[in-house]
Structures are given as C-alpha cells and as structure tokens.
Amino acid sequence: MDYKAYFQENRDKHLNELKEWLSIPSISALSEHKPDVKKAAEWLAGKMTQAGLENVKIHETKGHPIVYADYMHAEGKPTVLVYGHYDVQPVDPLNLWQTPPFEPDIRDGKLFARGATDDKGQLFLHIKAVEAILSQEKQLPVNIKFCIEGEEEVSSPNLPGFMDANQDLLKADVVLISDTSLLEKGRPAICVGLRGLCSLEVALHTANTDLHSGSYGGGVPNALHAMVSLLNSLHDENGRVSVEGFYKGVIELTPEDHEEFKKQSIDENKLKADLGLDELFGEEGFTFAERTGARPTLELNGVYGGFQGEGSKTVIPKEAHAKITCRLVGHQDPQDILDKIEKHINSHVPTGARVTVVQMEKGNPFTIDPSTPILQKAAEAYEHVYGTRPVFTRDGGSIPIVETFSRVLEAPVVCMGFGLPDENLHAPNEHFNLENFDQGLLTIVDFLKRV
C-alpha cells in the first residue's frame, strides 16, 4: 500500500480536523474550562468512531474524562495500548502569542496553537494512522487500544485509580506514547529514561512580627539569613546534594552509557552562548546531557520573604519561604527522598528559627533497556522513514504516568515522539512542524506493521 500517497491526498482534510480539535480550549488546570475539556473528549470520541475504532467510551472521573477505544480483531497478534492526553496548558502570557492560541494558524511549515505538539497534534497521528490502515487494508496488523486522559497537565490525579480498576480492559503487550521529541530536525530519538519528581515547601519563622532593623538588628535572628543558611546546607561547593542518603538507588553510568550520551552531540559552548551564560554548572564529573538526563537534582524554584516593594525598608523579616523540587533517577523513591530532605532540614534549623515542611508532588522515575526488542522495532521504523537510526535518550523531564503504565500493566513502554525541542510546549507560540506531522504518520504505520 502506498501510504505516502494516501496521507498526501488526505493532508488538508487531516489538518483541518486537527485545527478543529486545537480550537477547543481544553485547559485542565482552570475550572472555568471544564466544559471545554469535556467538549474536547467528545470530539476525540467522535473521531475515534469515524476512524473505525470500536467500544468507544467516555469514562467519567472525579476530574476530567478518560476516553477509551479499541479494535481487537487481529487474533494471535500483539496488543498495543496507545496513551496520550487531550488537555493543554494555560496560555499566559497571552500578549506574547503572535496569533491567538486557540485559533490554529499554519505558517512557515508549522502549525501554531496551544496543544499543537503537546499533545493533541502527536496523539492525532495515531488515530489517523489507524484510520489509514483500516481504510486501505480493512484490517489492522495488531490489536490496538487507546487510553486518552484529560488531566496529564495537572499530574494525572485520576488515571492511576482508573488503571488499577481496569487492568483487564487495558491489558496490552506494549504501551505506545508520543509525548516526547526528536533530538533535533531530522534526528529521531527514542526516550528510554524519564526522571521522577518530588516537591516540597519550606516555611521558616523567627519572631512574632517584623522588626525595625535599627532597634533590633544584630540582636535577634533574621528569617532571611536563617533561610539562606538552611538552603545552603543542601549542596556542597561542587553541586552535589548534601542530604544524607540522597543518592541511594541512583544507577551509576557505565562506559556504554557515556558513549550513548555522546551521540546526542550537545555543543556546550553553543548552549552557553544561547543562554547568555559564562559557564554551565552542576555535579562534577558529568556532561550537561548526563546531568540533565541521568543524574538526580535538588533545585530551588522560589525563595521569598521580607520587603519586596520599591525602594528601601529597614526591616528584619519574621518569616521566609522556599519551594523545592527534585528530579529523580534509577530506583530513587520519591517518598524516601522527601523524608530524607525533611530530616536534613529539621537537623539544620538555625538558632532562633522554627521550620515547617509540607511535602507535595511525588512521581517515580522510568527507565527501560534500549536493547528491548520492541524498542528495536521502533528504531527500525524511524530509520525506514527518516533515513537515520534514532538515538536512545534519557530525558530530564518527568512524565510520572509512564512509570505507572510500565509497572501496573507489566508492559514495555515505547516513547516515540515527533515533536522538536524548540516547539514552545508550555510557552507562547507553541507549534508543531508539519514535516514531522507527515513523517510521524508514516513512522507509526511502519511501526505497527513491524510489531
């Protein structure tokens, strides 16, 4: 079958359909958009039915709906479960968008809209790939299921419970996800590692009121001084986290791992220039790619307290606050890490201060062996379409639900992304390069046939 000709013939129709979906402001984080999220789920269910999928159902949750569909007529063949999400990020700041975020616009070979690359555009490829095969061949080479949620951008609070309650419904031989990116234009990548995540907030208090620095300065504890001292204890001078036991479960990189990271060919001098930095910084003994893909971190995301207004105010603040997140790798357990950080903080409280710690998000890291046969099938599909074999990467970000799928369904997860790193996901002017829209369709068809 000439799928290249099929997709070219139907390209305008497909892009117009995608534009319809992208026009729905399915922002899961904002309650006023709850009807829009439901509308986006209904749109998706309708297109799944039109594509020829069966058992299409919108499952209500305590939050936003999960859409399920399948086509189970390939007796004796593997079952592929496609996961994705139809919710999108908020659009602020709106004034930085060149065109309105929910009025999709094609220019310079790119489709601009919120959700274009994360994740409606990439998910749409799977629906159209299945529709194409059924249209051309009247049957699929594999059994296929879809589990599409509307809460990924708010940390998937209801999907794990849905998975636990519907393990038989979701049972599959492989989970297929397109929510990652190529290494760069023309250089595909398969993600074999995602860092986990945990977060906490720290509040530090001293006196029961702000104090005049002339009357009390030098004689009472200063909450900002105390917070700076406390936070400084979390790292050593070489960028290594000083929390006792923090690195338990971290898998050390092998010589083969180092070689795989070299294949990403990251130019650190160019990176510094692009970011306006004199130097990069991080844990000694590792490259930028290794630090951001295979090593854990503890980062300060916000530190605040005292006078913030214009001009000067001679005050000794009574309180200070900090927001902290960690990216985790290997077998690090987020709850264990949070407990260890809290213990460290409580044992390093400066004189005259009181500290409160609130533990927040938790997500496990994900890794898979690149030699896993199904990943090699994915690599062959990329190579056939793009003309070059993909690099196996470990991404610095976190998609906690990937590890959940792998663990609960006991199935390998294939992260076949078709975005690009510079497509402004989560930022103004998000877009999807249509070159990868075209090649993504062909790659997915090729992959399903190889499976």
Side-chain angles (χ1 to χ4, degrees):
M1 297 294 174
D2 187 353
Y3 282 98
K4 189 172 184 179
Y6 171 88
F7 286 124
Q8 190 60 42
E9 181 181 339
N10 289 277
R11 191 174 194 260
D12 289 344
K13 174 177 175 288
H14 291 165
L15 287 175
N16 286 333
E17 289 179 4
L18 178 54
K19 284 181 178 181
E20 285 181 15
W21 202 20
L22 293 171
S23 299
I24 304 172
S26 51
I27 305 172
S28 56
L30 302 178
S31 57
E32 62 263 35
H33 284 286
K34 187 166 186 176
D36 296 312
V37 180
K38 179 67 177 293
K39 182 179 178 181
E42 292 169 345
W43 187 98
L44 172 62
K47 289 302 174 185
M48 285 176 159
T49 300
Q50 289 180 23
L53 290 162
E54 300 173 344
N55 300 310
V56 179
K57 183 176 180 180
I58 297 176
H59 293 264
E60 298 295 338
T61 73
K62 293 179 181 179
H64 300 300
I66 294 169
V67 184
Y68 175 86
D70 63 33
Y71 194 88
M72 303 291 292
H73 299 290
E75 187 175 351
K77 302 294 184 181
T79 298
V80 176
L81 173 67
V82 177
Y83 162 78
H85 65 94
Y86 62 88
D87 63 321
V88 301
Q89 281 276 323
V91 298
D92 310 88
L94 191 59
N95 64 297
L96 295 183
W97 286 81
Q98 188 173 339
T99 52
F102 296 109
E103 295 180 17
D105 183 54
I106 294 177
R107 56 184 187 271
D108 302 322
K110 302 170 184 177
L111 174 58
F112 287 81
R114 173 58 90 227
T117 189
D118 182 23
D119 178 44
K120 287 179 179 175
Q122 296 200 57
L123 173 58
F124 185 76
L125 300 177
H126 292 274
I127 299 166
K128 291 300 151 184
V130 167
E131 181 180 72
I133 298 173
L134 287 174
S135 171
Q136 297 292 91
E137 305 186 38
K138 312 305 179 188
Q139 61 182 358
L140 295 181
V142 294
N143 300 297
I144 199 157
K145 300 177 179 180
F146 283 80
C147 178
I148 313 301
E149 68 162 322
E151 298 183 321
E152 193 274 344
E153 300 293 5
V154 289
S155 301
S156 305
N158 292 294
L159 184 56
F162 178 82
M163 292 171 61
D164 286 335
N166 293 278
Q167 291 187 43
D168 288 340
L169 178 69
L170 300 177
K171 184 177 176 59
D173 298 294
V174 58
V175 179
L176 178 59
I177 301 175
S178 293
D179 198 10
T180 52
S181 66
L182 281 68
L183 199 59
E184 59 186 26
K185 179 180 171 66
R187 291 189 67 198
I190 297 175
C191 175
V192 295
L194 290 160
R195 294 195 288 187
L197 176 73
C198 65
S199 66
L200 64 153
E201 293 186 359
V202 182
L204 184 149
H205 294 81
T206 50
N208 58 9
T209 184
D210 288 354
L211 297 168
H212 189 288
S213 67
S215 301
Y216 292 92
V220 297
N222 182 310
L224 285 176
H225 292 181
M227 181 62 86
V228 169
S229 173
L230 177 60
L231 297 179
N232 191 52
S233 74
L234 293 170
H235 293 86
D236 67 18
E237 65 276 9
N238 297 317
R240 187 174 174 87
V241 178
S242 300
V243 174
E244 184 177 355
F246 182 83
Y247 290 92
K248 180 182 177 181
V250 175
I251 301 172
E252 296 302 324
L253 297 180
T254 65
E256 292 76 17
D257 291 330
H258 288 294
E259 288 301 314
E260 198 65 34
F261 274 106
K262 285 181 182 178
K263 293 178 183 178
Q264 296 186 32
S265 305
I266 293 178
D267 185 337
E268 295 193 0
N269 289 323
K270 182 179 183 302
L271 179 63
K272 286 188 290 186
D274 289 344
L275 297 177
L277 293 172
D278 294 326
E279 292 293 339
L280 300 177
F281 179 78
E283 192 179 359
E284 279 192 335
F286 299 95
T287 65
F288 174 83
E290 291 167 349
R291 289 170 181 165
T292 57
R295 299 298 294 174
T297 66
L298 188 156
E299 297 287 354
L300 307 180
N301 307 121
V303 180
Y304 54 97
F307 178 62
Q308 305 287 317
E310 183 178 357
S312 175
K313 183 181 182 184
T314 54
V315 64
I316 297 174
K318 70 182 181 70
E319 63 183 81
H321 302 265
K323 294 178 182 288
I324 298 172
T325 55
C326 298
R327 301 288 178 169
L328 310 176
V329 301
H331 303 299
Q332 285 182 298
D333 176 75
Q335 185 61 60
D336 178 60
I337 294 298
L338 286 172
D339 291 341
K340 286 173 177 174
I341 295 173
E342 183 168 354
K343 180 179 178 182
H344 175 98
I345 288 172
N346 287 330
S347 64
H348 287 75
V349 178
T351 301
R354 305 179 308 280
V355 167
T356 302
V357 176
V358 178
Q359 299 184 9
M360 299 176 68
E361 298 168 285
K362 296 188 287 286
N364 292 319
F366 164 77
T367 55
I368 186 171
D369 186 345
S371 66
T372 303
I374 196 68
L375 293 185
Q376 295 302 314
K377 296 288 186 186
E380 291 165 6
Y382 272 123
E383 187 172 15
H384 178 75
V385 175
Y386 281 83
T388 184
R389 197 163 182 82
V391 176
F392 291 102
T393 62
R394 302 191 199 186
D395 290 1
S398 304
I399 311 177
I401 204 66
V402 173
E403 185 275 339
T404 306
F405 270 111
S406 175
R407 172 171 42 83
V408 173
L409 301 184
E410 298 181 334
V413 178
V414 181
C415 292
M416 292 185 72
F418 299 99
L420 285 174
D422 62 354
E423 289 181 335
N424 288 20
L425 66 164
H426 293 205
N429 301 308
E430 178 181 349
H431 57 276
F432 190 20
N433 281 263
L434 295 184
E435 174 186 349
N436 291 318
F437 178 89
D438 298 330
Q439 292 184 299
L441 288 164
L442 295 172
T443 304
I444 292 168
V445 169
D446 188 278
F447 174 69
L448 294 178
K449 288 178 172 289
R450 291 178 190 273
V451 174

